[in-house]
Amino acid sequence: MDTEVPFLSGVDEDGLPLAGVSDFRGRPVYRNTSGGWQAALFVVAMELASTFANYGVSANLITYLTGPLGHSNASAAAAVNIWSGTASLMPLLGAFLADSWLGRYRSIILASTLYALGYGMITLASTIPTQQTSSLDNDYSSHPSSVKVAFFYISLYLIAIAQGADKPCGLAFAADQFDPDHPQECAARCSFFNWWYFSIAIGIAVAVALVSYIQENLGWGIGFGSLCVIMISAFIVFLLGSPSYRLYAPTPGSQSPFTRLAHNIATLFRSLSFSFGTIRQHHPKDGDDTTKSEEVRSVLRLLPIWTACLAYGVVFAHIMTFFNKQGRTLDRRLFGSLELPPAALQTFGPAAILLFVPIYDRVLVPALRCMTGNPSGLTPLQRVGTVMVVSLATMCVAALVEARRLETAHEYGLVDDARATVPMSWVWLVPQYVMIGVADVFAMVGMQEFFYDQMPSDLRSLGLALYFSVMGIGGFISGALISLIDRVTSSGGGDSWFADNLNRAHLDYFYWLLAGLSAIELVLYIRFTISYVYRHKSLH
């Protein structure tokens, strides 16, 4: 079991095995033959492949739903958001299983097995024949069998379950390979969180460009099948790294972290009940109860911050839905007859990340370190606050660009032609993709580091799951908003804000609504962070 994460305790390069640490077979391990980058890179390879495969499906999923599966724009966007929301919430269950029973190493193995099964099934589902007819409002309309639809969604949600077992454990397990009490490994761990996402961004960029092209030009079965092959190969690589991994043994006689957390919550409320009208007599156990209460309070203090981050999850959900549909209406020619797939425009987000992370880690952090005196340049909460500002600006830019697109469609008399290419370059969409990419750097680094460090040590998988749940709840909120607004705006026979003919829709109104929600989120966030006290003073 590697459920406990006390890291390493005072054992140096003196030939002794590391205390409280074992390999995957329960044998003692030594610093010079385990952990560090030599072990973390195997985990990075696995997570890189899982991210590649995930974006290979999600980046172009709305195209598949509105194409071969015949969904409307609104229903497809809601379906994508609900699926992505479920995939982002499943890490809460995965964190519970990892911290209470399986451990992170075995959770990743379980996730890898489910990934292979899920991507294999979605490949098979995409090859089931679909009857197609022409349509005035869509490029083509599909009439898939109920078996095809059911099988596709089963495989899709199986992948979501696999993400639940993988996402809260991958980063935490890789971080476990570095000892924060050892100077060299501590320094490596400080950069690890930044460079982790740099490598993940590579997988995202390649996936959304390459896989979307394969799906739309060579076939959906080939596109999904290649993801299955990649995941099986990555699973093998992860297993090859097993002899070098550091697994942490639970404290002897300790409770399950979640059981202890529930018990400590009960203890806290019991102690609060005694404080009303009763002077408590001191007992030796009071000190222990105080420690338990502080542990619970450290978890509860995260909830307002988590709540204030939800609007960002709503904004982020639309990169793979309406941003994609906008791109399909624009002139996407590169040169000659070569045309960008709409989903390939999403590569500008990861490209911004690839350029920004080295600049941030090597230029901005040292400069900010001199200004603030903080080793990380900005505190985790300041990084998350930057996310709020950039995501708000992104929605304002997206609304202005969409208003311009609608104006152009009116100028050229294309309002009633759903399949027309609006004479407006795809370059107009680049700023909103780049801005959301920059926001995602601060979100991934800031939120993950914040929730990881501020959780009690043996609940850190849950801490990382809180970040993913921001995206999950954001997806559900987005799906609910789309369904509600679609129903309200289409009542009385009018055009919905999300009409299948985007030239008669009003995505700009929806983006302004999201900008308003982001502004409210920013105000709440500032209010909550003013009074927040870090568990580790060094993070200030």
Side-chain angles (χ1 to χ4, degrees):
M1 288 285 287
D2 55 314
T3 57
E4 193 78 18
V5 194
F7 286 98
L8 310 181
S9 54
V11 180
D12 215 336
E13 290 88 344
D14 53 6
L16 296 177
L18 300 175
V21 186
S22 66
D23 68 2
F24 72 108
R25 293 180 176 175
R27 300 172 301 190
V29 297
Y30 300 84
R31 187 183 302 280
N32 60 351
T33 58
S34 70
W37 284 106
Q38 65 179 346
L41 287 177
F42 286 101
V43 187
V44 169
M46 178 65 203
E47 296 306 307
L48 180 62
S50 67
T51 301
F52 180 96
N54 175 54
Y55 276 84
V57 170
S58 60
N60 213 23
L61 182 57
I62 192 168
T63 301
Y64 187 82
L65 295 181
T66 56
L69 289 195
H71 291 13
S72 67
N73 280 347
S75 62
V80 171
N81 288 338
I82 291 172
W83 172 73
S84 63
T86 302
S88 297
L89 279 178
M90 288 305 294
L92 289 171
L93 175 60
F96 171 78
L97 294 175
D99 284 340
S100 300
W101 178 40
L102 285 176
R104 290 167 189 154
Y105 174 73
R106 286 193 289 243
S107 291
I108 295 174
I109 290 178
L110 173 62
S112 301
T113 304
L114 294 176
Y115 275 138
L117 180 60
Y119 286 110
M121 289 176 60
I122 204 171
T123 301
L124 179 59
S126 64
T127 60
I128 298 176
T130 301
Q131 183 180 4
Q132 299 178 356
T133 59
S134 61
S135 172
L136 294 177
D137 294 330
N138 294 300
D139 293 337
Y140 52 86
S141 177
S142 304
H143 299 281
S145 67
S146 57
V147 173
K148 179 183 178 74
V149 174
F151 198 68
F152 181 83
Y153 275 103
I154 289 172
S155 59
L156 200 61
Y157 278 88
L158 186 60
I159 294 171
I161 294 173
Q163 288 189 55
D166 173 41
K167 294 307 179 184
C169 298
L171 178 56
F173 186 63
D176 287 350
Q177 308 308 311
F178 299 93
D179 178 8
D181 295 325
H182 184 272
Q184 292 180 345
E185 292 193 17
C186 180
R189 181 175 174 270
C190 289
S191 290
F192 172 74
F193 281 98
N194 289 342
W195 290 102
W196 164 275
Y197 195 50
F198 179 84
S199 64
I200 295 302
I202 294 175
I204 297 173
V206 175
V208 297
L210 179 61
V211 179
S212 63
Y213 179 85
I214 293 173
Q215 290 167 342
E216 296 200 29
N217 292 277
L218 301 181
W220 291 96
I222 296 175
F224 290 139
S226 64
L227 303 180
C228 182
V229 173
I230 288 171
M231 284 309 307
I232 293 175
S233 301
F235 187 17
I236 294 172
V237 170
F238 176 79
L239 293 177
L240 290 176
S242 295
S244 65
Y245 297 147
R246 295 172 179 172
L247 279 64
Y248 296 86
T251 303
S254 64
Q255 292 178 305
S256 156
F258 286 83
T259 302
R260 194 180 72 247
L261 179 62
H263 175 72
N264 291 352
I265 291 175
T267 301
L268 175 62
F269 282 105
R270 186 168 59 250
S271 65
L272 291 175
S273 67
F274 278 123
S275 66
F276 290 99
T278 302
I279 300 178
R280 296 185 63 194
Q281 185 177 6
H282 178 76
H283 294 285
K285 191 178 178 181
D286 287 351
D288 184 53
D289 286 347
T290 300
T291 301
K292 293 178 179 179
S293 297
E294 283 303 314
E295 184 178 85
V296 173
R297 288 190 178 97
S298 68
V299 175
L300 296 180
R301 280 197 300 266
L302 299 178
L303 297 182
I305 305 296
W306 176 85
T307 302
C309 293
L310 292 177
Y312 170 72
V314 177
V315 169
F316 190 81
H318 298 289
I319 297 176
M320 295 174 292
T321 54
F322 292 129
F323 284 15
N324 188 310
K325 299 300 291 186
Q326 282 177 282
R328 187 168 289 277
T329 69
L330 300 182
D331 184 353
R332 291 175 279 110
R333 288 176 297 174
L334 289 177
F335 48 85
S337 59
L338 182 62
E339 191 175 65
L340 279 173
L345 296 177
Q346 296 176 40
T347 57
F348 286 100
I353 294 169
L354 293 174
L355 291 174
F356 185 72
V357 167
I359 294 173
Y360 176 77
D361 190 69
R362 299 302 180 186
V363 179
L364 291 181
V365 169
L368 290 168
R369 185 182 297 135
C370 295
M371 296 171 57
T372 65
N374 188 292
S376 299
L378 296 176
T379 66
L381 285 177
Q382 288 171 339
R383 297 180 200 176
V384 178
T386 305
V387 174
M388 315 296 180
V389 175
V390 177
S391 63
L392 168 59
T394 301
M395 283 297 96
C396 293
V397 170
L400 293 172
V401 169
E402 176 60 11
R404 174 61 180 166
R405 192 193 68 81
L406 291 174
E407 181 182 340
T408 303
H410 278 276
E411 288 177 0
Y412 286 85
L414 303 175
V415 174
D416 295 319
D417 188 352
R419 292 178 292 181
T421 297
V422 176
M424 183 173 168
S425 174
W426 56 269
V427 177
W428 282 82
L429 294 181
V430 172
Q432 64 199 60
Y433 278 115
V434 170
M435 292 173 71
I436 203 67
V438 172
D440 204 28
V441 172
F442 286 101
M444 285 288 289
V445 176
M447 287 187 194
Q448 290 196 19
E449 183 177 1
F450 174 72
F451 288 124
Y452 180 88
D453 281 317
Q454 296 304 293
M455 272 287 184
S457 61
D458 49 2
L459 286 172
R460 281 174 169 163
S461 292
L462 176 61
L464 293 177
L466 285 177
Y467 162 74
F468 291 108
S469 69
V470 166
M471 316 307 287
I473 297 296
F476 283 122
I477 293 174
S478 177
L481 272 176
I482 291 171
S483 298
L484 176 62
I485 293 172
D486 181 59
R487 189 179 304 113
V488 171
T489 57
S490 62
S491 61
D495 289 317
S496 166
W497 285 7
F498 316 111
D500 289 344
N501 180 357
L502 284 188
N503 295 332
R504 302 192 66 88
H506 270 294
L507 291 181
D508 54 336
Y509 294 171
F510 183 59
Y511 292 155
W512 283 122
L513 175 62
L514 295 184
L517 291 176
S518 297
I520 295 172
E521 166 200 47
L522 180 59
V523 172
L524 289 175
Y525 181 79
I526 293 173
R527 172 66 184 85
F528 292 145
T529 54
I530 288 174
S531 58
Y532 187 83
V533 178
Y534 286 98
R535 291 182 68 238
H536 305 296
K537 301 298 183 183
S538 61
L539 292 179
H540 279 291

